[in-house]
Amino acid sequence: MSPVIPVGPYHPALEEPYKISLDCEGETIRDADIEVGFNFRAIEWLAERKNYVQALTLVERVCGICSNVHTLTFSRAVETIAGLEVPERARYIRVIVAEAERLHSHLLWAGVACELIGFQTLFMTCFALREQVMDVLEAISGNRVNYAMNRPGGVNRDIADPARVLAAARNVRTATERQLIPVLTTDRTVHARCAGVGLLTREDALALGAVGPTARASGLGQDIRRSAPYEIYDRLDFDVPVRTDGDVLARVTVRALEIVESCRIIEQAVEGMPEGPWSSGDFPRIPAGEACARIEGPRGEVFYYVASDGSDVPTRVRIRTPTFQNMPTVRPMVRGMTLADAPLIQASIDPCYSCTDR
Amino acid sequence: MDAEALLTGLETETGWQRRRDGCWAEVDDLDPRAMTRLLSKAEARWVTLTVMPAGTGFRLIYHWDLDGELLNIATTIVGPSVRTIADLLPAAEWVEREMHDYYALEFLGRDETPPLMLRPDDEPGLFSRTQDLGRDVDPAEYDERPTIPEGGRP
């Protein structure tokens, strides 16, 4: 007998709805079917009925974790249509906030992964570090989520206390290098639970259009910050960690190393941030036109297409989030694995169903 | 292979343009399957498909990434169908189902197109059916009724 085990759409541990049906042979998973859309909000449809100010606020609600990348990507698409230049200081602020968002996202994920592995003490370490980042984001924006920092032509707020941001970045980097990375990469428990589990080959990653750390853990070196630099990334010194093993351990390692790189980026950006304006002034009138924009979010490439007919309401807003591309990779990852590995494998792509469903 | 050579291979009559947001090509009678084979062979990475209503048909923009350069290959179709590429490129499987949900756009060659965002009993074409709903701002009246406040501050 070959039972199909339905998991979801409601989960006791995961506060987002999705469903995965696991076709099993004993304890071994033969195949999986993934269903999404339980949180579908038609945000693209709604954005085509809001003016640009309202649409900017709306797209920030696509995701509760990486909300900042959505306003940044939308703003950059609008800036391209309008031919807007962004002041230098605003570019630095955008990068600092984007990397702080990556830090809190990666640390959140690392904590959740540790809990799934059964490593409670490391879970606490991750969340203690994340809290420092959340405090910095709150100090900058006034909010712990939905920071409302970006707008076409600049940012909505300055960073009043760069020294605090710098201190937090250094602290997180030191703790990550001394505590988190050694444990995540060498601890026997982590290794036993993650090595060789949930394999995604380079070929499958490319065929399925995987992005972000999921792709980079399978040997694809793509990172929009490096391959198509935006804001000030082309002036910063940072590495793009890539692993070729394609298993859960590789995805854990890539994200852990990216925490260090994000801290390095923040440190450089804070130290090099010039004085000057941080906004180009009034909200611009958007001419007719169309443009695409891409940002490297915590989970990978975020893509926006915006079309304008010259009115103050966009005629088309297309949003492609990273998890939309990464979620189908779970299917080849779970094939041949044991049932007990399925939760960890799903978590290893750092899924965001709110983003996927939009 | 660089973007220029690839886009030349698509035999676009209007040529291609390099813009601030990547390379753009408008291709009449685009063969999406030939395009997919061409770009997959060059290891271009699939990004997504954008669909929008255009007259009685649709404007389709296929977005790819070639070594960091965004390639946007656009075409306009008159009818409600286009050939699938999902069998050639699994990365396009979900987006075809999504666009079927939104616009009832048929992807010819698929065995089935189950809903992705909608539920099994929902009628596809949600965006097309509701195209005129909620559009309370008439672009023609923009100068008289700006919804962005004076001074421009959000």
Side-chain angles (χ1 to χ4, degrees), chain B residues 41-61:
Chain B
K41 191 177 175 187
E43 285 216 344
R45 178 174 59 81
W46 171 256
V47 176
T48 196
L49 167 66
T50 297
V51 175
M52 66 197 88
T56 57
F58 296 96
R59 181 160 186 254
L60 279 59
I61 311 174

Side-chain angles (χ1 to χ4, degrees), chain A residues 16-67:
Chain A
E16 290 189 283
Y18 80 106
K19 184 178 179 185
I20 182 165
S21 302
L22 300 166
D23 181 358
C24 297
E25 184 75 50
E27 285 289 308
T28 304
I29 300 168
R30 291 200 309 196
D31 204 352
D33 181 54
I34 299 163
E35 292 176 54
V36 295
F38 298 98
N39 200 21
F40 175 56
R41 289 154 290 160
I43 283 182
E44 292 184 11
W45 186 93
L46 287 168
E48 292 156 18
R49 284 150 184 84
K50 307 288 182 189
N51 68 39
Y52 285 94
V53 177
Q54 294 167 329
L56 187 66
T57 308
L58 176 68
V59 299
E60 187 143 32
R61 272 73 186 168
V62 167
C63 182
I65 299 173
C66 55
S67 57

Side-chain angles (χ1 to χ4, degrees), chain A residues 202-213:
Chain A
R202 184 184 184 279
E203 291 69 30
D204 281 347
L206 189 63
L208 291 164
V211 293

Side-chain angles (χ1 to χ4, degrees), chain A residues 36 45 48-49 51 84 151 207 222 282-283 285 290-292 294 301 305 312 316 318 320 356 358, chain B residues 20-21 45 47-49 51 59 65 68 91 95 98 116 119 130-131 133 135 142 147 151-153:
Chain A
V36 295
W45 186 93
E48 292 156 18
R49 284 150 184 84
N51 68 39
L84 279 175
R151 53 170 296 176
Q222 60 192 27
D282 293 344
F283 202 95
R285 179 166 288 192
E290 63 180 348
C292 303
R294 295 186 295 166
E301 175 192 62
Y305 166 87
D312 59 351
R316 183 76 175 101
R318 172 87 180 111
R320 210 258 15 240
T356 306
R358 291 154 291 135
Chain B
R20 186 169 154 179
D21 59 344
R45 178 174 59 81
V47 176
T48 196
L49 167 66
V51 175
R59 181 160 186 254
D65 177 287
V95 75
E98 185 189 20
L116 187 75
R119 296 300 96 201
T130 56
Q131 179 69 19
L133 292 180
R135 292 191 183 275
Y142 173 65
T147 49
R153 290 281 174 196

Side-chain angles (χ1 to χ4, degrees), chain A residues 124-203:
Chain A
M124 297 301 285
T125 301
C126 292
F127 269 59
L129 288 173
R130 179 175 180 260
E131 200 57 27
Q132 295 180 39
V133 181
M134 298 300 284
D135 286 346
V136 163
L137 284 164
E138 187 176 5
I140 292 173
S141 70
N143 294 313
R144 286 168 66 87
V145 291
N146 297 351
Y147 320 112
M149 284 298 289
N150 300 299
R151 53 170 296 176
V155 291
N156 283 321
R157 293 172 201 83
D158 196 6
I159 293 179
D161 188 2
R164 180 177 177 181
V165 180
L166 188 60
R170 285 177 176 158
N171 197 25
V172 171
R173 178 160 67 95
T174 303
T176 303
E177 287 174 335
R178 290 182 182 170
Q179 298 174 35
L180 207 53
I181 291 178
V183 175
L184 287 175
T185 56
T186 62
D187 182 85
R188 279 190 194 176
T189 305
V190 176
H191 199 271
R193 194 72 188 82
C194 302
V197 173
L199 284 172
L200 180 69
T201 64
R202 184 184 184 279
E203 291 69 30

Side-chain angles (χ1 to χ4, degrees), chain A residues 230-299:
Chain A
Y230 50 94
E231 307 304 351
I232 57 160
Y233 281 109
D234 56 345
R235 304 175 217 165
L236 301 173
D237 176 28
F238 65 97
D239 292 329
V240 177
V242 177
R243 291 291 181 274
T244 55
D245 294 338
D247 56 3
V248 172
L249 187 61
R251 294 188 276 281
V252 168
T253 307
V254 164
R255 286 198 189 88
L257 295 171
E258 284 186 3
I259 292 172
V260 173
E261 296 307 317
S262 285
C263 292
R264 288 181 61 210
I265 289 171
I266 291 173
E267 289 171 37
Q268 293 171 63
V270 170
E271 287 169 345
M273 185 163 61
E275 294 296 328
W278 34 270
S279 171
S280 59
D282 293 344
F283 202 95
R285 179 166 288 192
I286 313 303
E290 63 180 348
C292 303
R294 295 186 295 166
I295 298 295
E296 186 69 25
R299 294 169 183 75

